[in-house]
Amino acid sequence: MNRRVFIQGAGLITFLLSGCGLALQSSDAQTADQTSKGGDKMKITIITGSPHKNGTSALLADKFIEGSQKAGHEVFRFNAAFEDIHPCLGCDRCGMNGPCVHQDAIAKKLQPELIAADLVVFVTPLYYFGMSAQLKTVIDRFYASNVKLSGSGKKAILMATAYDDKDWTMSVLTQHYQTVVKYLGWEDIGTVLAVGCGSRPLIERSEFPEQAYQMGLKI
Ligand SMILES: Cc1cc2nc3c(=O)[nH]c(=O)nc-3n(C[C@H](O)[C@H](O)[C@H](O)COP(=O)(O)O)c2cc1C
């Protein structure tokens, strides 16, 4: 069986990784649903997952970028739906720490920015209560950089839009996001969950674009 053990520095988080899955053994990684206040200039990588260039989640991304650039942060934006990307084949040729067999936009454009980022912002429309396939494709490809990304102390934000506005509409998406962030040993510093925002007029009338802007401004 292909089995490896990684010990992470600060939190001594032990990852047991096997050919059939990933397991986390730690309670050290904590997440907070608050934005951090002030601080140094950051390198931000924002990954969007909608096929709509001027859609609802794109507006959240635009507003967040507007705020964060005003605050002086450096932003790299990767629009997964408009890039040449391929899903992970699970071939394990990367060994979780090496070049991917796919030398596409994820490997060539996103990966260096991802590794260098202080903050990673995930932006997605809600698709069947989870993230879009475009965003999931990118996250699965973290596998080739897993060793570099794990325990790298990055901060993370999730922004999402959905038609429904039930109190459980975003629960599976946020749980998935928080689990990925915890596994990687990153810190969740906030979410913008734009429920009841299934179209551009709906989100433009809502408070969520301003929330995204303020989050970008205040990180
Ligand atoms: C394939 C698909 C699945 C969707 N699934 C959900 C869903 O589970 N819950 C929901 O509230 N809205 C769902 N929606 C609506 C979108 O989340 C919503 O319209 C969103 O604002 C689209 O974001 P965008 O404009 O950034 O693409 C779905 C839309 C599509 C196309």
Side-chain angles (χ1 to χ4, degrees):
M1 186 192 289
N2 176 16
R3 199 176 184 88
R4 300 183 204 94
V5 178
F6 294 111
I7 309 288
Q8 289 190 325
L12 289 180
I13 296 170
T14 303
F15 294 93
L16 300 176
L17 304 152
S18 71
C20 59
L22 310 178
L24 174 75
Q25 289 191 329
S26 170
S27 58
D28 288 9
Q30 296 288 326
T31 59
D33 210 17
Q34 299 288 323
T35 51
S36 61
K37 295 270 171 359
D40 298 333
K41 302 300 173 221
M42 289 194 283
K43 280 177 83 74
I44 301 172
T45 291
I46 181 162
I47 307 167
T48 71
S50 173
H52 299 128
K53 267 200 172 108
N54 296 309
T56 58
S57 55
L59 179 60
L60 295 184
D62 292 345
K63 289 291 174 185
F64 178 87
I65 290 170
E66 202 182 313
S68 56
Q69 286 179 334
K70 190 165 184 204
H73 302 297
E74 185 187 324
V75 181
F76 172 79
R77 179 176 181 155
F78 188 82
N79 297 314
F82 304 101
E83 296 283 357
D84 167 41
I85 66 171
H86 298 87
C88 177
L89 295 175
C91 65
D92 216 11
R93 290 270 293 279
C94 62
M96 302 184 86
N97 189 27
C100 180
V101 293
H102 295 307
Q103 284 304 299
D104 57 6
I106 294 177
K108 292 182 179 164
K109 286 163 76 169
L110 176 63
Q111 195 194 33
E113 301 288 342
L114 189 62
I115 290 168
D118 303 301
L119 167 65
V120 179
V121 184
F122 301 98
V123 187
T124 185
L126 192 70
Y127 278 5
Y128 288 93
F129 305 100
M131 65 184 69
S132 71
Q134 290 87 342
L135 180 58
K136 183 62 164 57
T137 298
V138 171
I139 292 178
D140 287 351
R141 294 280 302 283
F142 283 13
Y143 192 82
S145 315
N146 202 84
V147 170
K148 293 185 187 78
L149 295 176
S150 298
S152 54
K154 295 186 197 309
K155 297 178 191 307
I157 286 173
L158 170 69
M159 300 198 294
T161 55
Y163 246 118
D164 296 344
D165 64 354
K166 308 272 192 309
D167 59 359
W168 46 267
T169 293
M170 296 286 195
S171 57
V172 170
L173 174 69
T174 50
Q175 228 182 324
H176 185 189
Y177 157 75
Q178 284 165 358
T179 303
V180 171
V181 166
K182 182 173 181 173
Y183 165 73
L184 290 169
W186 296 0
E187 182 191 6
D188 166 28
I189 62 163
T191 56
V192 176
L193 304 174
V195 292
C197 289
S199 68
R200 190 76 187 208
L202 286 173
I203 197 165
E204 282 172 3
R205 285 201 297 270
S206 79
E207 74 273 29
F208 298 110
E210 179 63 17
Q211 269 186 28
Y213 175 77
Q214 290 297 332
M215 189 172 276
L217 196 62
K218 289 177 183 161
I219 43 168

